[in-house]
Every structure is written in structure tokens, then in C-alpha cells.
Amino acid sequence: MKERLCYWWQFESLKANKTLDSVNKNSAKLRGNYKLVEGIKGSALKFDGFTSYLECNAKSFPKSFGSEGFTLEAWIALGSYPWNWCPILDHHHYPKKGYYFGVDDEGQIVFYLATELDENQWQGVTSETSLDLRRWYHIVGVFDPTLGVSIYIDGKESGNASIAGKFVSAPELSIMMGKHRKKAKPTNPVQDINLGAHFPLEIFLDGILDEVRIYDQSIDIISINNKFKGYGGSEKKKIVPPISIRKLPSVQDKIGEFRAYYTKLEYYDEWDSLWRMGPYADVVVNFDENPCKLIFWRGTNYIPCWVTENELWYTNEFNETWTSKNAGCCEPMSDKHCRHSHVRIIENNKARILIHWRHALIDVQYNLARIDKTTGWGDWSDEVHIIYPDGIAVRKITLYSSQPRAPHEYQESILVLSPGTSPDDAINLEALYLINMKGDIQEYSWAEEVPDYLDKPDGANIELINLKSNFKPFIIISDSPISKRKTHPIFRCFNADIDSGVSHFPWWNHWPVASIPSDGRKTKTADKASHTSLSNIVDWASYEETPNSITKLMLTGLTDKDPKELLQIAKSWLYPPELVLRDSHLIYKGYDPSDRAYIIELNQRLKLRSDISFSILANEDSPIYNPCIILKNCESKNLRLIINGEILKKDKDYRLG
């Protein structure tokens, strides 16, 4: 029987944002950031997943289209799965007319249509298998009025269903390819909180289409197999489609100079092209004594991330809050375009680096939290990161608010995951250690079940995250009482949104890099960048408080040392040894934990040959660990350091900046 081919898009050429159907020479309009790439046969059309789609009129359909069945055919390669159903061919007015042939949020092919039997209910089938990413597939959807609907993948049936009633076509509608006809909500919202913070958006195809055809007849399995083989079949599937493997940005200088610098980190072309920023968009801190990084990247909304030697990304979160007037969480995760999130380098020398990150606490609709009726100001946060060459930083967090004592969060232990990586790929099941100032250590395991409480050892104030890396994130906070009733820091396990059949840990992909208006989308697949959380510190003692602000401190970084060494670092910071001056022209201002430094001020300008003499009285309870001395009013650039009579070598034994 002669094939009744209605449309055939080969994508061999484009002109003035249009491409022609090879059967009728109808012109289809192309929108957004699309491009022609190498396909199964000649060229193919690559959709960027954010802006691009094709739309064509349906005037070439016969009036009787579908009365004897119809067949839809295409070659497809996916870069990621869509946030909801996305069409390969969409010619429908849900649920009354037409058909829908596309891919769902887990990579399964969907084929549904409308019938006269029930204008309020679609009928159809979803494929039994999912498509892998970055692989070519030949997909076919067949509707036969007698047999129903079937889906074929690479010549093999992958699902079928009977259909009751006569198919109802939609000749007045255009055909759409690569974009859902109407906005839709992303699937898998977090259900237990913030039901309003999950809004509809345009759903676009992230992938490549080639050799797309529509037939006004049902085609049998033999013909489908012949079509698959006719294109080269299994041999063609060996062709790698031009879709890059995606991973969070990689910085090449593994161990180099201790420095901070502006740059523009790349993710993948289609995502990168969305950003209206120049070459100084991001900030990287590089270390010269370990292969780790601290990165402030627009893809995380500048939320600072420590990056291990094997490129696992970790962050201690940010200020976050919730109000009855906002849609869900108010946090920098919601600032998808970095409208209110900014980072800058303040100090950058061989001895230390100071980075300032400022962000607003906003919901996904860009509404500020707790707006003051008089001033119009909402909640804002300043973070200053004072970073030293030993890979340890002070994180100084200041929340500015008209209601600073209302519920706010300051810390959550979050792992940021590249596409292709699940939480279990990156975290050991013995995932977390808590340590107190006595040196007691408690291991917490996720192997059997999620821990209910993180309440041991008593008075814990040190946390170590057991990633599958040599260098592991740590946190040290004050062990001082929070209040009369709260005598020590409070840690809590993050045990919500866990699907034990998928991962031992919670798993979401509404952040990073995603531009969807959602503050919570659970995921089962590693097709996109994603994140997981282990714990959060509910509260710990503040460093400073005013009527409109609260400042908290933490010491953080990455370590490859034994957990007990963290105790020495904690003691040196929280209980620093006494410094005793020996010179009258010096004023000792004390130890400032927000600088991790002793502060000495000169009451007269230091002359070239003047000496600064002091002793640090360390002991077991107050040890020395890479001490920092800040000399105020010191003009000399040629200082040298002598300890117990030994002249130390600059840049090797000590840093000056």
C-alpha cells in the first residue's frame, strides 16, 4: 500500500527563521535559540530547552485525517528530560481534540489522543521504557481505529492500549514541535510545605529532532522495522549526537597560586547563552596548598560552594525565611537571574582573601520577605568570607531585618550535584560526624534508615561531612549557650522528601541552574544538576545582635586530616591562646574570631627598623593553629618574622599581605 505522507521535516536547511516541509513545501516558523547540527541523515534541529520551538499550520491535512488511523515518526536525542510533558508533535486542544506525541519528565514516550466517546478524557499510552540521554532513538506512534495506539522504540513495541471511540482531529490548530502549547507546572512538587511555590512555566524540549513525519494511515510493525533499518538501524544508533556531557564548571588550575579572581565559568552552550553578563560574572578562590576551590557562581545564584579535589560541590547554605505573605521559601535559591545576589572581591593578597556576598531573601516570584511598611526594606543578608591559605574560612553572616528574631535559617549542609550524579554517588552512607569540645565523636549512618535526631555527643559544635572525596567539608561553630534554656548548638537531620527506592538521601533539582519558578521539586533521575541535604544547624550563639540585625560566625572549609584535628582548629579559634605584648608602642585589641586573627595597633607609625615583639602562650586547651596577626597603622611592606630566634622564610613559612 502506498504511504500517505502528510508532512516530512528533514531540517536540511533554514532560511529567515523558517524551514520547509518536504511533502507540501509548507513553511514552519522557528523561534528561540535553535540551530542545525549533524543528524541521522544530513542535518537535524537542536532545541535549546529554554526558548526554541517550531510551529506550522495544518492546512495540508486531509479533512478525513485519522479516520483510518495515523502514524507519527521521528528520530530524537535528549539532553535532559523536560519538566513536564513536552511535544515532539503537538496537534491538540486538550482534552477535546487532536493528539499529543512527546516525552515525559522521566524520558518515557507519551502518545495520547481525543475521541468522540468522552470529550473530557484523553486516551493513550506511555512507553514501557525511558530514553537514555545523548543517544539517538527511532520512535513511532501508531493509531489504528481497530487495534488502538502503540509506541515503538527502535523498531520494537514499547507499549500499547485500546482506544474507545472515534478519533477527533483538530485541523484548525497549528502543529507545534519542541514546546508545550500551554504553560504547565513542573512535576513532582514538594508536597508537605509551601504548596503555592510551584508555578506553571513554558515547557521546552532539550534535545535534537530529525526526520519527523506524519502519515495519514496506520503503519504495521514490519514497515516500522524496515524504516528503522532503512536509516541504518543499530549502526546509526552508534552515532553520538552533538549534545555535550554536562557537569558543573571545572577550574583547571588544580594547585596554583593562592588568589581570588573574576571569571566567567562555563556550563554548556545553551545555558550559557541565556545570561546577559560579561567576562567577570563569577568569582573563584584558588589555593596553593590543596587542590580545592571556593566558587561563587551565577549558576548557584552566587551561593558559595566549596569544591573538592574530585569536583564535588558543597555549600553551607544562606539566610532563609518563610512568611504567610510569601510564596514558599524566601532565599537566594529563588533568585534565578541573580537580580539581588551579588559577589565582589574586597581583599586579595598572599596572606588572606576577603569576599563579600550580598543577597535578598525573596520568593520565586521575586517578592521580598518581611517588607517594612515604613521604609520599604525587606530582609537582606551580607556574608563576608575571610579565607586563609590553609583552606579555612570564617563565614560571617549578618541578617538585616525588621524582625530578625522571627524564624530564619543560617545553615544547611547541602551537596550540589552535577548531571549524571546521584546523592549516593557522592556521599558515604556513614555520612556525618558530630564532635564536641571534649573530643567525643558520634558517627551517623544513613545505611539502614535516616537518623531521627542529631543529639550526640552532648554539646556538639563541630560537623564533618563524609563525602566520597579525600577532602571533606567541615563546620565549626561556637559552643556557647544560645540562651538560658538552650545550652548548646542544635543540629537537625534533614529527613524529608526521601524516596528510599531512589536514594538514601533527599534529592531535588529545582536548584541549581534551573530557571523554574519552584522552591521544591523532587527528582528520581540524574538528568539535571541537582542537590541534596544532610542536616542543618537550627541555632547557635550569635556573635552580635542589634534591634535590626543578627550576626553569626562559623569556621568552615575542606580537610583531608583526621577528624580529631578539627578539635585543635576549634580550640585555637574559640579559645585562642593569650597574646602578650612586649612593646609600649603597641596596643593589643584582642583576638577577633570574625577575622580569625589577633589585632595589634601601633600608636605611632612603625619605622623601618622597629620591632614588634610579643608572645603567644599556647597550651593543650588553647593551642596555636596557623595564627594570623593583623597590624593596624603599619606602613612597612618589608616585615620579617622571627620565632624563638629563628628567621622564617617569607611565603614558605609565613604569608604577608
Side-chain angles (χ1 to χ4, degrees):
M1 182 173 63
K2 183 179 179 181
E3 290 183 343
R4 300 199 295 271
L5 188 59
C6 297
Y7 287 89
W8 181 9
W9 291 277
Q10 295 178 285
F11 306 121
E12 294 308 311
S13 63
L14 306 177
K15 187 176 182 180
N17 296 321
K18 295 179 181 179
T19 188
L20 293 179
D21 145 47
S22 299
V23 176
N24 306 290
K25 307 304 179 185
N26 283 338
S27 179
K29 296 178 181 179
L30 292 165
R31 309 290 189 193
N33 297 324
Y34 59 85
K35 59 183 174 182
L36 289 183
V37 296
E38 182 183 357
I40 284 294
K41 183 180 179 182
S43 298
L45 188 63
K46 188 175 186 181
F47 298 79
D48 71 344
F50 304 103
T51 65
S52 51
Y53 65 98
L54 176 150
E55 188 169 10
C56 181
N57 66 61
K59 64 183 181 181
S60 296
F61 278 125
K63 292 183 180 180
S64 61
F65 176 78
S67 60
E68 297 180 14
F70 61 89
T71 301
L72 312 171
E73 178 188 11
W75 282 85
I76 186 171
L78 294 173
S80 67
Y81 303 136
W83 297 110
N84 203 319
W85 283 18
C86 189
I88 299 161
L89 287 165
D90 171 356
H91 193 209
H92 85 285
H93 183 275
Y94 175 81
K96 298 180 179 181
K97 294 181 178 181
Y99 61 85
Y100 192 102
F101 185 54
V103 60
D104 72 8
D105 59 303
E106 294 184 11
Q108 294 172 288
I109 300 301
V110 293
F111 182 24
Y112 283 76
L113 50 81
T115 70
E116 291 179 339
L117 185 66
D118 187 352
E119 65 175 17
N120 295 313
Q121 182 67 45
W122 270 29
Q123 300 179 62
V125 63
T126 299
S127 68
E128 297 166 358
T129 58
S130 296
L131 307 187
D132 292 334
L133 303 181
R134 296 181 300 280
R135 288 186 59 192
W136 280 111
Y137 289 92
H138 180 249
I139 57 172
V140 177
V142 178
F143 165 61
D144 185 297
T146 303
L147 301 176
V149 291
S150 301
I151 292 173
Y152 297 86
I153 299 176
D154 293 341
K156 298 179 181 179
E157 188 175 82
S158 184
N160 64 77
S162 59
I163 297 294
K166 183 180 178 181
F167 168 67
V168 179
S169 64
E172 73 281 8
L173 295 177
S174 61
I175 302 167
M176 296 193 71
M177 195 182 303
K179 176 191 173 186
H180 203 69
R181 194 173 293 270
K182 293 183 178 181
K183 288 185 177 182
K185 287 186 177 183
T187 58
N188 303 322
V190 174
Q191 294 293 343
D192 57 344
I193 57 171
N194 309 320
L195 295 179
H198 200 74
F199 298 98
L201 75 156
E202 304 280 8
I203 308 291
F204 291 95
L205 182 70
D206 177 11
I208 306 172
L209 293 178
D210 199 6
E211 300 296 324
V212 181
R213 304 190 194 201
I214 303 175
Y215 304 85
D216 184 28
Q217 66 191 111
S218 59
I219 295 177
D220 59 48
I221 181 62
I222 295 175
S223 299
I224 291 171
N225 257 306
N226 288 337
K227 288 179 178 295
F228 175 59
K229 294 175 181 177
Y231 279 105
S234 299
E235 289 302 312
K236 281 291 184 182
K237 285 183 63 62
K238 294 178 182 178
I239 297 174
V240 178
I243 299 173
S244 60
I245 296 175
R246 297 166 189 176
K247 57 181 295 187
L248 298 176
S250 177
V251 180
Q252 297 304 315
D253 46 341
K254 292 295 184 183
I255 298 181
E257 182 183 359
F258 175 62
R259 66 184 180 119
Y261 58 94
Y262 292 101
T263 186
K264 190 174 185 181
L265 298 172
E266 296 179 348
Y267 184 35
Y268 66 95
D269 288 347
E270 288 78 15
W271 185 88
D272 293 340
S273 67
L274 296 172
W275 288 86
R276 299 180 179 185
M277 291 184 172
Y280 309 109
D282 310 307
V283 170
V284 173
V285 178
N286 190 67
F287 296 94
D288 59 0
E289 294 183 352
N290 68 57
C292 304
K293 306 283 184 289
L294 177 58
I295 293 179
F296 299 76
W297 179 46
R298 64 195 184 281
T300 62
N301 315 115
Y302 296 123
I303 296 165
C305 292
W306 291 89
V307 182
T308 67
E309 84 287 346
N310 58 342
E311 299 185 336
L312 298 180
W313 289 46
Y314 170 86
T315 181
N316 284 306
E317 204 207 21
F318 35 76
N319 273 141
E320 177 183 353
T321 192
W322 315 263
T323 81
S324 60
K325 296 181 180 180
N326 290 92
C329 301
C330 298
E331 57 187 1
M333 274 187 181
S334 302
D335 192 357
K336 305 297 185 177
H337 296 160
C338 298
R339 297 180 193 176
H340 305 300
S341 183
H342 306 280
V343 63
R344 56 181 178 161
I345 301 170
I346 303 298
E347 184 178 324
N348 192 11
N349 57 59
K350 292 182 178 181
R352 74 173 191 172
I353 292 165
L354 194 153
I355 308 293
H356 174 224
W357 172 47
R358 177 169 170 79
H359 69 84
L361 280 66
I362 58 169
D363 63 23
V364 294
Q365 295 182 316
Y366 279 92
N367 298 310
L368 281 162
R370 297 192 171 84
I371 296 177
D372 188 290
K373 293 181 180 179
T374 302
T375 66
W377 280 91
D379 283 6
W380 286 79
S381 180
D382 274 337
E383 287 201 14
V384 178
H385 293 251
I386 301 96
I387 307 147
Y388 289 95
D390 59 3
I392 299 174
V394 178
R395 178 184 172 218
K396 184 178 182 181
I397 318 135
T398 301
L399 168 71
Y400 297 99
S401 174
S402 297
Q403 300 171 286
R405 287 153 194 83
H408 288 87
E409 195 168 84
Y410 289 77
Q411 193 279 338
E412 187 176 319
S413 301
I414 299 173
L415 187 63
V416 186
L417 302 165
S418 281
T421 304
S422 72
D424 292 63
D425 294 330
I427 309 171
N428 290 298
L429 294 182
E430 294 71 33
L432 187 149
Y433 298 89
L434 292 183
I435 308 166
N436 64 17
M437 295 302 289
K438 296 178 182 178
D440 302 323
I441 300 177
Q442 179 66 48
E443 176 189 273
Y444 289 90
S445 175
W446 273 247
E448 299 298 328
E449 59 183 1
V450 182
D452 290 326
Y453 302 99
L454 302 179
D455 55 357
K456 300 294 181 184
D458 292 340
N461 66 315
I462 303 169
E463 181 180 79
L464 180 68
I465 307 297
N466 191 17
L467 301 185
K468 293 181 178 179
S469 57
N470 293 328
F471 286 83
K472 303 178 189 298
F474 71 87
I475 306 160
I476 300 171
I477 55 175
S478 171
D479 64 335
S480 298
I482 303 165
S483 64
K484 290 182 179 180
R485 292 189 302 110
K486 299 177 181 178
T487 59
H488 55 76
I490 303 169
F491 290 80
R492 179 176 61 190
C493 181
F494 209 110
N495 51 18
D497 302 330
I498 296 176
D499 184 341
S500 59
V502 175
S503 173
H504 289 84
F505 308 95
W507 195 11
W508 311 273
N509 63 7
H510 59 281
W511 177 88
V513 309
S515 57
I516 65 172
S518 171
D519 70 348
R521 183 184 188 262
K522 295 177 287 187
T523 185
K524 297 180 180 180
T525 61
D527 62 305
K528 296 178 173 64
S530 59
H531 71 281
T532 185
S533 292
L534 289 174
S535 65
N536 81 288
I537 307 176
V538 178
D539 202 4
W540 74 97
S542 299
Y543 176 66
E544 290 178 341
E545 293 193 10
T546 75
N548 293 311
S549 71
I550 292 177
T551 299
K552 292 182 182 288
L553 302 180
M554 69 167 53
L555 210 60
T556 185
L558 297 167
T559 183
D560 63 346
K561 305 296 192 299
D562 185 275
K564 290 187 177 180
E565 184 163 332
L566 294 176
L567 182 60
Q568 300 304 306
I569 298 171
K571 287 179 178 180
S572 73
W573 182 55
L574 297 174
Y575 301 97
E578 181 184 0
L579 185 146
V580 179
L581 292 176
R582 297 176 181 172
D583 298 287
S584 60
H585 65 286
L586 304 176
I587 302 172
Y588 178 45
K589 294 292 187 176
Y591 182 87
D592 187 348
S594 70
D595 271 310
R596 192 189 165 202
Y598 296 94
I599 313 298
I600 298 175
E601 183 177 308
L602 281 68
N603 58 16
Q604 62 181 19
R605 295 296 181 186
L606 178 64
K607 296 180 180 179
L608 186 62
R609 296 185 179 276
S610 297
D611 291 333
I612 300 172
S613 181
F614 57 85
S615 298
I616 298 178
L617 308 179
N619 56 51
E620 184 178 349
D621 294 327
S622 297
I624 289 178
Y625 194 96
N626 296 338
C628 176
I629 313 295
I630 295 178
L631 299 176
K632 293 190 173 182
N633 301 329
C634 178
E635 293 181 344
S636 176
K637 305 295 184 182
N638 298 311
L639 298 177
R640 63 177 183 168
L641 184 62
I642 303 172
I643 296 181
N644 297 332
E646 181 182 352
I647 300 175
L648 302 188
K649 294 181 179 180
K650 183 181 175 182
D651 296 333
K652 180 181 179 182
D653 299 322
Y654 69 96
R655 310 289 181 101
L656 184 65

